[in-house]
Amino acid sequence: MTPAMKLGAVIITMGNRSDELRALLDSVAAQDGDRIEVVVVGNGAPVPDLPAGVRTVELPENLGIPGGRNVGIEAFGPSGAEVDALLFLDDDGLLPNRDTAELCRRAFEADPGLGILTFRITDPDTGTTQRRHVPRLRAADPLRSSRVTTFLGGANAVRTKVLAEVGPLPEEFFYAHEETDLAWRALDAGWMIDYRADLVLHHPTTAPSRHTVYHRMVARNRVWLARRNLPAPLIPLYLGVWLLLTLVRRPSPPALKAWFGGFREGWSTPCGPRRPMKWRTVWRLTRLGRPPVI
């Protein structure tokens, strides 16, 4: 018999959710199967007292979500090489089921081409899943599992071979769209991504706009995402569609001002290395239901 896949977990914290973090760690420790090694990264904040055996890293400054998670990856060796897959979990989330880790192991073991699993996020009080937490265009039925083209940043599992092959999350992004950047690179390298409705993370219902930098970052990083990853003819099409969608949604004047400021910033600032995806990856994304123009 081959040994079970070894799992690790990366959790970043700003140090302001100690009770929620402790509950999450307890839910990780309660998972069936082999023990999951955990690292908690204090992203510019001290790490609170944690159970014995939990690794910690305290960063002197906030590196943003992708930067903090990348530090957590490297805590398991280069590209996380000490483990076979890493769970990335929000510090105010919780795994309500004890079999989540085992289901991840079975999914990866059954499909060598599966690179990323994205979980279903539900509100712990209402049991509802927000539409934005179903990473596909046809999101009416959150209980339907499927192949997808992106994943949820705080509720996922990534095979470390993917990170070793395509690189880490883009630290330049700081917040917003870093998951899609990694997802597109993984798909371009031949990996697949699954949304699994039976892998559940409890998380309070929130609005992404609660973050003060939301509108600026979303617009800037959308431009960076296109500049880094899309074939040149698709860049104006992709960004034009998102410009129209933003206007149709009729954000408030301050939000729209921040959005256009971020959009301009995305064109005028460095975005990191450009590695346009292959045209066969464009076709692959299209067959999966989300062509890279929306």
Side-chain angles (χ1 to χ4, degrees):
M1 293 180 62
T2 57
M5 289 189 71
K6 189 172 182 180
L7 299 182
V10 174
I11 302 164
I12 59 173
T13 183
M14 298 293 292
N16 56 351
R17 297 169 177 162
S18 57
D19 292 341
E20 293 92 336
L21 174 58
R22 185 60 182 256
L24 171 62
L25 292 171
D26 289 344
S27 73
V28 173
Q31 291 296 299
D32 296 335
D34 294 343
R35 180 175 180 270
I36 300 172
E37 298 289 334
V38 180
V39 63
V40 174
V41 178
N43 210 359
V47 175
D49 291 336
L50 300 177
V54 175
R55 309 182 193 186
T56 61
V57 180
E58 291 190 355
L59 301 177
E61 62 178 310
N62 182 356
L63 299 183
I65 294 174
R69 287 185 176 141
N70 285 345
V71 169
I73 292 168
E74 295 301 306
F76 291 98
S79 301
E82 292 177 12
V83 295
D84 299 302
L86 284 169
L87 309 181
F88 294 90
L89 306 170
D90 276 349
D91 66 343
D92 56 346
L94 184 135
L95 299 174
N97 303 322
R98 295 173 60 100
D99 64 348
T100 301
E102 281 293 276
L103 290 173
C104 288
R105 291 186 181 101
R106 292 175 201 165
F108 284 129
E109 289 168 350
D111 185 354
L114 178 62
I116 302 172
L117 286 165
T118 185
F119 301 176
R120 179 166 59 95
I121 296 178
T122 67
D123 184 278
D125 297 320
T126 66
T128 59
T129 297
Q130 292 180 274
R131 192 186 192 284
R132 69 186 181 90
H133 284 153
V134 183
R136 58 179 179 242
L137 291 179
R138 295 179 180 177
D141 182 9
L143 296 179
R144 178 174 68 87
S145 299
S146 68
R147 287 260 150 106
V148 289
T149 61
T150 189
F151 63 98
L152 307 173
N156 67 78
V158 180
R159 198 188 292 266
T160 52
K161 286 182 179 179
V162 174
L163 301 169
E165 182 173 353
V166 307
L169 293 157
E171 295 189 10
E172 304 95 328
F173 282 38
F174 196 84
Y175 163 77
H177 303 318
E178 66 272 5
E179 302 93 350
T180 299
D181 186 90
L182 177 59
W184 282 2
R185 286 183 282 129
L187 289 163
D188 197 47
W191 296 99
M192 298 303 294
I193 306 169
D194 279 359
Y195 167 73
R196 287 281 297 262
D198 56 341
L199 301 175
V200 178
L201 180 87
H202 277 177
H203 190 283
T205 297
T206 57
S209 54
R210 71 190 186 279
H211 299 290
T212 57
V213 296
Y214 171 75
H215 296 287
R216 169 178 157 251
M217 292 292 196
V218 161
R220 184 197 69 180
N221 293 359
R222 183 78 69 184
V223 178
W224 282 1
L225 180 69
R227 289 175 57 197
R228 286 164 59 97
N229 294 288
L230 290 181
L234 293 185
I235 294 175
L237 182 58
Y238 176 80
L239 295 175
V241 167
W242 279 103
L243 172 61
L244 290 175
L245 284 173
T246 300
L247 295 175
V248 166
R249 291 168 177 170
R250 301 179 66 182
S252 68
L256 192 61
K257 181 179 179 181
W259 193 94
F260 274 109
F263 194 80
R264 288 191 296 270
E265 185 181 349
W267 287 107
S268 62
T269 55
C271 62
R274 171 167 166 76
R275 299 186 181 95
M277 66 178 65
K278 308 173 190 71
W279 282 103
R280 68 168 176 263
T281 305
V282 173
W283 175 236
R284 189 181 193 189
L285 289 162
T286 304
R287 287 189 291 112
L288 288 170
R290 191 152 196 165
V293 295
I294 188 170

